[in-house]
Amino acid sequence: MQILLAFIVGAAVGTGIHFLLHQRLTRGVVVAPMAGAISAGLAWTILTWVGIGIDTPWPWLAALVVPIVVVYPLVIVLTRMRLAADAREKERLGIV
C-alpha cells in the first residue's frame, strides 16, 4: 500500500521538473509526471523485491532521487528532439 506514496511523490517530482524547465509547450503535460511516477514506483518495487523493507529510508529516498535522475534528462532530451523535429518540418514546408 505504501507504494502509492512512491507513485505520488514521483508524480509530484515530475510535475515540478515539468514546470522548472523551459519550452513546456513542446511536450505533453503528463509526460514528466508519468515518467516520475513510473520511475519512483519501479525503484520502490525493485527495492522491496530485493528485500529492503519500508522501515529503512532507502525506498523513501529512492522515491525522491530516482525520478529526478530519470525525468530531468528525459525532459531535456524530449524537448530537444521536439524542437529539432519542428525545425525540420518548418524547413520542409517552407515556413520560416
Side-chain angles (χ1 to χ4, degrees), residues 16-74:
I17 290 173
H18 172 74
F19 286 107
L20 177 71
L21 296 177
H22 299 292
Q23 303 291 336
R24 281 189 283 278
L25 300 177
T26 62
R27 57 186 179 268
V29 175
V30 182
V31 171
M34 282 302 294
I38 291 169
S39 63
L42 188 62
W44 183 281
T45 302
I46 290 170
L47 287 175
T48 54
W49 281 355
V50 169
I52 298 174
I54 60 169
D55 53 342
T56 64
W58 298 114
W60 303 100
L61 188 61
L64 284 171
V65 173
V66 170
I68 295 170
V69 171
V70 171
V71 175
Y72 194 82
L74 176 71

